[in-house]
Amino acid sequence: MWRKWHLLTLMNRLSIRWRLTLVSLGLLTILLSGLGFIILFTAEKALLINESVSLRSEVHVSARDLKGQSPLVQADGSIYKPSDLEIMTNPLTSPPPPPGPAPADFAVEGDLLLRQIVTASTDAIILSPSGTKVLVKEDFPWTPATVKLSSKLIQQALLSKNPNNYIMARDQSGARQLVIVLPITSDHHTVGILELNTPTGPSVDSFVTTLRLVLILGIVGAVSIAVALTFPLIGAALHPLVTMEQTSRRVAEGELYLRMEVPLTDDEIGHLAISFNRMVAQLEAAFQRQKQFVGDVSHELRTPLTALSGSMEMLMIGADRGDIEASRRLARNMYAEVQRMHRLIEDLLALSRLDEQKIAFRKDALDIRPIVEKIYDQAQQLAHDQEISYTIEPGTPFVLADGDRLQQVLLNVVDNAVKFTPPQGKIKISVYRAKPASIRIEIRDTGKGIPPEALPHVFDRFYRVDPSRSRLPKGIGGSGLGLAIAKELIEAQGGSILLKSTLERGTIVTIQLPAAHQIAEQTVTSSTGNA
C-alpha cells in the first residue's frame, strides 16, 4: 500500500509530458512483450509438433519394414517369422485395445524393432501394458539418456485424442527431451508400449534461444526508437497547452488583451484553444464593463453630490440672507438631486438582481388595454405639448407577462420618447396581434432620432447617444440604464425588444411578448390627446 501511494505521488510530481511518455512506452513494452511471448510459444509448439510427427513417421516406417522382412534362422536353428504385431501411430483411428498376453516371440520382435528405431538422437524402450520396463536397447553407446515417466502420465498420453500428442520431460542430466508413447497391439490386444524420447536441444532449444534473443533485441530496439520519437512528438502535441499555460499566467497578471494562437488541427486542443480565447475575451469584456460601470456610477453620483454640497454650503454660509423663498429653492434643488441619486441606486439594484436572477416574475394572462391606458395617462402628465395617442387592434389576445414589470418597461420607453420629442411632435402606442402566438407593442415618436453608429449600443448600460443629454435642462437627461433594464425585463419574460431610428425623423421601439389563449373584449380601439 505504501509503495502504491509512493508511486502515485511520484507520478503526480512528473510533468504531463513525462507521464504520457511513460504510459505510452509502458503500454508499448507490454504489447511487444506479449506479442513476442506468443510468437516464441507458437514457434516452439510448432517445432515440437514437427518433431513428434517425425518420430511417429520413423516408427511407422520401421514397423512396416519389420513386417516385410523374410523369415530368420535363429542361433538354435529355429526359424523366426515376423508376427502380426502392430504399432498404433494414430490414436484417432481407434482407441487402444484392452491389455492382453504377449506372443511367444514378442521379445525377438521387440528387439528387432528397437534395433531399427534407436539412433544417436533417438532412444526407445518397450514397456508392458502396466508400465514396467520389458526391453531396452543397451548395446548402443550413444543413445540419449532414458527418461522415466510415471504410469499415470503414460496412460494419459495413450488415451489422448490428439494425434500429435507428446510429453516434455527432463532426463537425469536436466536436459529437456520430447517423449511419445505408442501402444503395441497383437490379436486385438495391447501387448506393450513403445516409448521414444529425443533431446530437444539441437533441433528446438537452440532455435528457440536464438528466436528469443532476436525478439528481445527487436523489442529493445523498438522501444528505443519509440523513446526517441515519442518524447518530442508528445512535446509537440502538448506545445499548445504549454503556450496556453504561459498565456493564462500573463492573463492572470492583467494582460487581458492576449490571445492564444489556434492550432490548424481540428482536435480537442484546438477546441480548447478556441474556448480559452472566448473565455479571455469575455473576461476582458467583463473587466471593461466593470471599469466602465465604476466610472459611470462615479460620474453619475459626482454631479448630484456636487450640487448637494454646493447647496448645503450656501445654506451654511447664509447665502439666502434669511430669504425663505431662496431657502426653499435650494431645498427643492437638493431634494431633486437626492431623488436623482435614489433613482440611480434603484436602477443599479434592479440590474444587479436581474444579473443574479433574483427578481421573481409572475406571469399572468393580462388584458393589455388597462396597462396601455394607464401608460397613456402618465404620458399625458409627462408631455410638453406633444401629441400622444394609442391604438389597440380588436381581437388582440391577452399577453402572458408580469403586469408590474411590463408597465415599468412601457413607462420607461414612453418617458424616453417624451424627453426627446420636441413640442408639437407625435408619440403613438400601437398594440396588435403578431405571428406566431404573440402580441406586439410599438412606441413611435417623431423626435430627433439616433445616429446609425449608436444603434448597436442603445441597450448597453450607461450608454448615451449624446453624453450632453445628461446635463439637459428640466431633468431630461438620464443615467443610461433605462433601456438596459427594459431589455433585461422583457427578455426575462420570454419576449424581445428592438429599436429602429432615423435621424430627424424619429424612433420606433418594438416589444414582442408571448400571448395567452384568452381574447380581450375591446370596444374602444384608439385614443388621442395633447398635453
Side-chain angles (χ1 to χ4, degrees):
M1 184 68 184
W2 181 86
R3 290 182 178 178
K4 182 179 179 181
W5 177 84
H6 184 71
L7 181 61
L8 291 175
T9 303
L10 181 62
M11 288 292 291
N12 290 333
R13 290 179 180 178
L14 295 175
S15 65
I16 189 171
R17 177 185 297 184
W18 275 108
R19 274 184 279 174
L20 288 175
T21 302
L22 291 177
V23 170
S24 302
L25 294 178
L27 290 175
L28 179 64
T29 303
I30 292 173
L31 292 176
L32 290 179
S33 300
L35 179 62
F37 176 79
I38 293 174
I39 293 174
L40 192 66
F41 176 79
T42 304
E44 182 179 15
K45 191 78 173 176
L47 289 173
L48 292 174
I49 290 175
N50 288 337
E51 191 75 14
S52 171
V53 171
S54 177
L55 284 178
R56 293 174 189 274
S57 298
E58 290 178 7
V59 172
H60 179 73
V61 172
S62 300
R64 185 184 60 187
D65 292 344
L66 181 62
K67 206 167 188 179
Q69 286 183 358
S70 302
L72 298 176
V73 179
Q74 301 189 63
D76 57 358
S78 62
I79 298 176
Y80 164 74
K81 186 178 181 180
S83 66
D84 60 347
L85 288 180
E86 297 284 348
I87 299 176
M88 297 183 63
T89 58
N90 189 358
L92 287 181
T93 304
S94 60
D105 54 358
F106 179 70
V108 177
E109 290 196 24
D111 184 68
L112 290 174
L113 180 63
L114 292 180
R115 287 177 182 277
Q116 291 195 7
I117 295 176
V118 174
T119 63
S121 61
T122 304
D123 186 28
I125 61 174
I126 295 178
L127 306 175
S128 68
S130 61
T132 59
K133 190 181 298 185
V134 176
L135 293 173
V136 179
K137 187 69 178 67
E138 297 179 348
D139 57 349
F140 203 94
W142 296 288
T143 58
T146 303
V147 177
K148 294 182 179 181
L149 300 178
S150 64
S151 299
K152 182 179 180 181
L153 191 59
I154 292 174
Q155 293 301 321
Q156 289 177 352
L158 288 174
L159 296 175
S160 173
K161 297 299 182 179
N162 186 358
N164 300 317
N165 183 48
Y166 60 85
I167 302 171
M168 293 302 302
R170 293 188 180 273
D171 56 24
Q172 296 176 354
S173 63
R176 289 202 320 163
Q177 296 219 28
L178 182 143
V179 183
I180 63 172
V181 290
L182 300 171
I184 302 174
T185 63
S186 176
D187 194 21
H188 306 293
H189 288 87
T190 300
V191 297
I193 299 173
L194 178 63
E195 177 184 319
L196 295 90
N197 61 282
T198 182
T200 60
S203 58
V204 178
D205 292 349
S206 58
F207 176 80
V208 170
T209 301
T210 304
L211 180 61
R212 184 186 295 114
L213 180 61
V214 171
L215 289 174
I216 291 175
L217 293 177
I219 292 173
V220 172
V223 172
S224 301
I225 295 174
V227 170
L229 296 178
T230 301
F231 193 76
L233 288 176
I234 290 179
L238 295 179
H239 178 71
L241 293 180
V242 176
T243 305
M244 189 180 303
E245 186 273 334
Q246 296 171 350
T247 304
S248 62
R249 188 185 307 165
R250 295 177 62 184
V251 167
E253 294 173 354
E255 301 180 39
L256 297 176
Y257 60 88
L258 292 176
R259 297 293 183 272
M260 183 179 174
E261 184 178 353
V262 179
L264 297 177
T265 56
D266 185 19
D267 55 11
E268 289 79 2
I269 294 181
H271 298 163
L272 181 61
I274 294 174
S275 299
F276 178 83
N277 287 342
R278 290 176 180 172
M279 179 191 69
V280 175
Q282 291 178 358
L283 284 175
E284 183 180 18
F287 275 102
Q288 289 293 339
R289 287 195 299 268
Q290 183 182 19
K291 184 177 179 181
Q292 183 70 28
F293 177 80
V294 173
D296 289 336
V297 171
S298 301
H299 181 75
E300 290 295 328
L301 290 176
R302 182 173 56 189
T303 301
L305 287 174
T306 301
L308 282 173
S309 177
S311 299
M312 293 177 68
E313 184 179 2
M314 293 181 67
L315 287 175
M316 291 174 62
I317 64 176
D320 56 346
R321 299 181 181 277
D323 187 351
I324 297 177
E325 187 60 32
S327 299
R328 288 179 177 174
R329 187 166 53 252
L330 289 173
R332 283 195 297 270
N333 292 337
M334 293 170 63
Y335 180 75
E337 297 299 335
V338 170
Q339 289 296 105
R340 183 177 177 181
M341 287 192 295
H342 179 74
R343 288 193 300 271
L344 175 62
I345 292 173
E346 288 293 330
D347 290 344
L348 291 174
L349 286 175
L351 284 173
S352 175
R353 290 171 181 169
L354 284 169
D355 290 340
E356 297 176 2
Q357 298 181 350
K358 289 185 177 180
I359 291 184
F361 291 91
R362 180 180 177 181
K363 292 186 179 181
D364 298 316
L366 303 173
D367 186 354
I368 195 67
R369 175 184 170 81
I371 297 176
V372 172
E373 289 180 346
K374 188 173 183 180
I375 296 298
Y376 171 78
D377 293 338
Q378 291 175 333
Q380 293 288 348
Q381 302 297 323
L382 298 172
H384 303 283
D385 296 328
Q386 295 97 340
E387 180 183 328
I388 302 175
S389 62
Y390 74 89
T391 60
I392 301 176
E393 183 184 74
T396 300
F398 281 26
V399 62
L400 190 63
D402 187 314
D404 294 336
R405 302 301 178 186
L406 178 58
Q407 183 176 329
Q408 178 184 353
V409 171
L410 293 178
L411 181 59
N412 200 326
V413 175
V414 170
D415 183 40
N416 279 343
V418 170
K419 288 178 180 177
F420 301 110
T421 300
Q424 309 307 320
K426 296 182 179 180
I427 300 171
K428 183 178 181 181
I429 305 172
S430 302
V431 181
Y432 55 91
R433 181 198 299 266
K435 295 182 180 180
S438 60
I439 69 165
R440 188 170 295 170
I441 307 170
E442 286 187 355
I443 297 94
R444 297 172 177 261
D445 65 60
T446 57
K448 59 184 300 184
I450 301 173
E453 65 273 9
L455 287 176
H457 308 286
V458 292
F459 293 107
D460 293 347
R461 300 177 184 185
F462 291 106
Y463 181 81
R464 300 187 189 88
V465 178
D466 182 1
S468 62
R469 286 183 174 184
S470 60
R471 305 293 168 257
L472 293 175
K474 298 183 182 180
I476 292 180
S479 62
L481 295 176
L483 288 178
I485 293 175
K487 185 175 185 295
E488 296 280 352
L489 290 175
I490 291 298
E491 291 181 349
Q493 299 179 75
S496 62
I497 181 170
L498 299 174
L499 187 146
K500 297 180 181 179
S501 185
T502 305
L503 277 176
E504 306 304 331
R505 296 186 61 181
T507 302
I508 304 173
V509 178
T510 304
I511 299 171
Q512 188 160 317
L513 287 166
H517 296 294
Q518 294 136 302
I519 302 297
E521 297 181 1
Q522 296 163 345
T523 55
V524 180
T525 60
S526 65
S527 180
T528 303
N530 293 83

